[in-house]
């Protein structure tokens, strides 16, 4: 796919005493930094990679105010008023992206389109009627029911059509917003791996390497917070989701968002290219660290695509991303209760990261500036999971069970059994070791104990990473952190990197 050149960053922060430090340059962090800079605050934006290098660069970028946990479910959990407020916040997020793209002249392919929710085969058609009524109560007055989606989409069942949804190119938008942030005096520094966040009575601070930078407030927008080490991670669970992009002729598929009612559901949008379109199809989600059949998942996605979109041509790209699922369907945005009033977090994208990230920018800007915001309680990170108690207990029991991995036998007994390009957890006495053999035969051994809260990592053959099933930390084969909440790498053990014999040699 085409990408967007990111503006240059500084190797080191220039701002000596910023008003606000934002950690994480994805959609939530960049939007927050831009809006606060626009309000006259001096903002320092930090990331260990380039803007959009994390999950924002992997999103399929649906811009929707149709909550993917369903309005009926949102009403049950958050009340009718809560569901209405949630829809309104996502609607405002889409409007904000459209407005900022216009005001800052960002060419990001933003377009308003319809959304089609397709009832999966065998499900009760009356559930669509109930969803339509709940959507109406949440303020979606233009939703209509149809017997099928627009031709030539091949789906036999009834659908709901939602007006005023949208798509855009997230990296083009992010690059434009970063440029506008810098043009207004904002300071972006990349290659900065923040390892500590905290606050004293009159200031907040972050540390990286031997450096500490102080500010009036710190916003942690690292997808999974590196500041809150425990509480927030008991209220959400990490999932992997899969996507493919297939070539289609321009105009062959009506430009709209499509998704179905399966669990996990399929989701579809178009990305315009110079002389064709790409049909981007996602789905096949599973809990992080709990599957090794990535090729089969991509194959099933392609199969589903060819049934519903028979005009789809060759699959040109495939990838996966991480979704943090809050047990009550809404992101956590606000004060980090464990750190104090000067530290803020944004997490729990719930598969709606582009709108939740933009809501984070709007809401945290108001909180930092001491302004009231009608969404503050809805997204409060300290809220209780009383209406989602079953889910809360189930997921946390699952995490507790994961600690049994610490005493389980290894997946292989001899590292010679590990083929080039593959990894497995072995045991060396009491210690689980993550062993990866690269294509050149070099063997890389790291501790398999996650540096967050000590679960055992699992091999992800699709991404060639070590993934933690407990709270979603992910590590490269050399131990480097790819996803928080862990911030320390997996240490080298047992000789680290050496050439090792493979059984076929
Ligand atoms: Fe929490 Fe690994 S992410 S223990």
């Amino acid at each position: 796919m085409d990408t967007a050149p990111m503006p240059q960053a500084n190797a080191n922060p220039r701002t000596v005493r910023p008003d606000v430090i934002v950690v994480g340059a994805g959609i939530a962090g960049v939007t927050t930094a831009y809006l606060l800079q626009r309000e006259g605050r001096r903002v320092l934006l930090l990331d260990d990679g380039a803007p959009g290098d994390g999950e924002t660069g992997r999103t399929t970028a649906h811009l929707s105010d149709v909550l993917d946990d369903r309005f009926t479910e949102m009403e049950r959990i958050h009340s009718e008023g809560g569901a209405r407020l949630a829809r309104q916040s996502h609607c405002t997020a889409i409007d904000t992206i459209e407005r900022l793209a216009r005001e800052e002249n960002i060419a990001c392919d933003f377009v308003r389109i319809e959304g089609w929710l397709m009832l999966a085969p065998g499900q009760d058609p009356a559930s669509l009627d109930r969803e339509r009524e709940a959507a109406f109560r949440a303020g979606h007055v233009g939703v209509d029911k149809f017997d099928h989606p627009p031709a030539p989409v091949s789906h036999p069942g009834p659908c709901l059509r939602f007006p005023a949804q949208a798509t855009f190119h997230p990296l083009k938008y992010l690059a434009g917003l970063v440029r506008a942030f810098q043009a207004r005096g904002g300071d972006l520094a990349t290659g900065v791996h923040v390892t500590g966040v905290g606050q004293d009575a009159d200031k907040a601070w972050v540390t990286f390497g031997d450096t500490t930078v102080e500010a009036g407030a710190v916003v942690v927008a690292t997808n999974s917070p590196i500041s809150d080490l425990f509480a927030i991670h008991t209220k959400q669970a990490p999932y992997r989701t899969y996507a493919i992009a297939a070539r289609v002729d321009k105009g062959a598929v009506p430009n709209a968002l499509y998704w179905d009612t399966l669990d996990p559901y399929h989701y579809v949008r178009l990305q315009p290219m110079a002389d064709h379109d790409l049909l981007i199809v996602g789905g096949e989600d599973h809990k992080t660290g709990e599957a090794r059949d990535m090729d089969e998942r991509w194959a099933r996605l392609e199969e589903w695509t060819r049934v519903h979109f028979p005009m789809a041509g060759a699959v040109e790209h495939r990838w996966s991303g991480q979704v943090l699922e809050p047990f009550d369907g809404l992101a956590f945005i606000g004060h980090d209760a464990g750190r104090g009033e000067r530290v803020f977090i944004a997490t729990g994208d719930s598969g709606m990261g582009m709108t939740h990230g933009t809501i984070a920018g709007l809401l945290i800007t108001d909180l930092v500036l001491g302004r009231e915001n009608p969404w503050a309680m809805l997204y409060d990170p300290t809220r209780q999971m009383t209406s989602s108690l079953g889910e809360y207990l189930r997921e946390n029991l699952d995490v507790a069970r994961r600690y049994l991995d610490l005493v389980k036998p290894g997946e292989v007994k001899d590292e010679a059994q590990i083929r080039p390009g593959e990894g497995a957890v072995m045991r060396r006495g009491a210690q689980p070791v993550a062993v990866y053999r690269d294509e050149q035969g070099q063997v890389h051994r790291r501790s398999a104990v996650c540096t967050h809260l000590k679960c055992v990592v699992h091999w992800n053959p699709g991404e060639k990473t070590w993934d933690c099933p407990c709270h979603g930390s992910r590590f490269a084969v050399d131990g480097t952190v790819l996803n928080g909440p862990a911030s320390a790498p997996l240490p080298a053990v047992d000789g680290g990197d050496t050439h090792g014999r493979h059984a076929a040699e």
Side-chain angles (χ1 to χ4, degrees):
M1 271 187 283
D2 57 344
T3 53
M6 281 293 163
Q8 289 295 309
N10 305 311
N12 292 301
R14 290 170 313 184
T15 317
V16 177
R17 178 55 153 97
D19 297 316
V20 183
I21 299 169
V22 178
V23 186
I27 183 99
V30 169
T31 307
T32 307
Y34 166 84
L35 291 174
L36 282 165
Q37 188 73 31
R38 191 169 161 156
E39 293 274 1
R41 298 302 186 270
R42 285 174 307 148
V43 180
L44 170 60
L45 176 58
L46 304 174
D47 201 307
D48 56 3
D53 258 8
E55 292 308 313
T56 297
R58 297 175 160 258
T59 180
T60 58
H62 287 223
L63 295 177
S64 179
D65 61 354
V66 183
L67 303 173
D68 64 355
D69 283 285
R70 305 274 176 278
F71 287 110
T72 41
E73 182 65 359
M74 286 294 104
E75 280 189 346
R76 184 190 69 76
I77 298 174
H78 296 284
S79 80
E80 191 178 316
R84 192 178 319 114
L85 213 49
R87 189 207 73 89
Q88 184 218 54
S89 64
H90 285 266
C91 183
T92 304
I94 302 171
D95 292 347
T96 301
I97 292 170
E98 183 175 31
R99 176 173 60 82
L100 296 184
R102 187 176 59 244
E103 289 174 355
E104 299 292 357
N105 275 322
I106 304 171
C108 60
D109 308 330
F110 181 95
V111 58
R112 288 279 181 179
I113 52 179
E114 295 170 340
W116 291 84
L117 172 62
M118 309 186 290
L119 186 74
Q123 292 188 349
D124 179 9
S127 66
L128 269 193
D129 298 319
R130 290 193 291 275
E131 183 61 13
R132 182 183 177 214
E133 286 156 18
F136 196 86
R137 288 191 292 275
H140 243 305
V141 291
V143 56
D144 278 318
K145 190 175 174 191
F146 289 79
D147 290 338
H148 50 74
V153 182
S154 175
H155 178 79
C159 305
L160 295 182
R161 183 189 67 181
F162 294 87
Q165 308 302 293
T167 62
F168 71 154
H169 191 302
L171 291 182
K172 290 180 182 176
Y173 175 73
L174 211 63
L177 214 53
V178 169
R179 248 188 304 275
F181 165 69
Q182 291 176 308
R184 290 171 185 271
D187 187 6
L188 165 68
T190 56
V192 175
H193 184 66
V194 171
T195 51
V197 177
Q199 78 161 69
D200 300 327
D202 60 345
K203 62 182 182 300
W205 46 264
V206 302
T207 55
F208 44 93
D210 296 331
T211 306
T212 297
V213 182
E214 296 174 354
V218 172
V219 179
V220 181
T222 50
N223 187 246
S224 182
I226 55 166
S227 52
D228 181 327
L229 293 183
F230 182 69
I232 207 72
H233 304 292
T234 65
K235 299 181 183 180
Q236 60 182 6
Y239 282 76
R240 300 298 298 169
T241 188
Y242 295 80
I244 59 172
R247 193 183 177 98
V248 290
D249 291 340
K250 276 211 172 289
V253 178
N255 195 5
L257 303 180
Y258 305 90
W259 67 106
D260 66 17
T261 55
L262 286 171
D263 183 19
Y265 63 93
H266 299 93
Y267 47 95
V268 183
R269 80 164 174 99
L270 284 174
Q271 175 61 41
M273 307 298 284
D275 61 352
H276 64 282
D277 288 336
L278 284 175
L279 186 71
I280 298 176
V281 182
E284 291 288 335
D285 305 12
H286 64 81
K287 279 281 290 288
T288 297
E290 289 194 353
R292 297 184 75 137
D293 58 344
M294 288 64 189
D295 284 336
E296 286 86 343
R297 287 171 191 271
W298 278 310
R300 285 198 294 272
L301 266 188
E302 183 173 347
E303 196 181 318
W304 183 92
T305 302
R306 300 210 179 284
V307 169
H308 292 78
F309 298 87
M311 72 298 287
V315 172
E316 296 193 347
H317 307 277
R318 63 182 208 176
W319 68 98
S320 69
Q322 186 135 303
V323 174
L324 290 171
E325 285 292 355
F327 304 147
D328 64 2
L330 292 178
F332 301 104
I333 303 166
H335 292 289
D336 182 342
R339 298 282 159 183
E341 291 291 294
R342 292 177 182 275
V343 179
F344 301 84
I345 57 170
T347 187
D349 56 272
S350 190
M352 303 186 74
M354 297 300 98
T355 43
H356 267 143
T358 304
I359 292 166
L362 295 163
L363 175 49
I364 291 177
T365 295
D366 280 348
L367 294 175
V368 169
L369 298 180
R371 296 193 298 229
E372 298 229 324
N373 184 298
W375 313 326
M377 279 182 63
L378 194 66
Y379 291 106
D380 181 358
T382 67
R383 69 182 185 267
Q384 300 299 310
M385 296 281 119
T386 37
S387 299
S388 312
L389 195 58
E391 183 80 352
Y392 176 85
L393 293 174
R394 205 168 27 254
E395 292 282 7
N396 281 291
L397 198 61
D398 188 48
V399 169
R401 250 192 246 115
R402 287 282 158 205
Y403 283 94
L404 293 174
D405 289 352
L406 284 165
V407 294
K408 278 186 182 164
E411 294 165 310
V412 296
K413 283 202 163 34
D414 185 338
E415 67 182 30
Q417 294 171 261
I418 302 173
R419 291 182 302 189
E422 293 194 349
V425 174
M426 300 183 61
R427 290 203 77 84
R428 296 276 198 261
Q431 182 175 37
V433 180
V435 182
Y436 168 66
R437 181 188 302 278
D438 67 26
E439 301 291 351
Q440 287 70 46
Q442 184 95 353
V443 178
H444 307 267
R445 305 173 193 88
R446 296 292 180 274
S447 165
V449 180
C450 175
T451 55
H452 175 226
L453 293 176
K454 300 195 182 317
C455 284
V456 174
V457 296
H458 291 196
W459 177 241
N460 176 341
E463 297 285 333
K464 300 210 183 304
T465 55
W466 296 105
D467 296 358
C468 182
C470 285
H471 314 106
S473 292
R474 297 178 60 244
F475 303 86
V477 291
D478 66 358
T480 308
V481 178
L482 300 172
N483 283 77
S487 62
L490 298 176
V493 292
D494 211 15
D497 305 331
T498 60
H499 188 82
R501 191 182 60 80
H502 170 224
E505 288 174 343

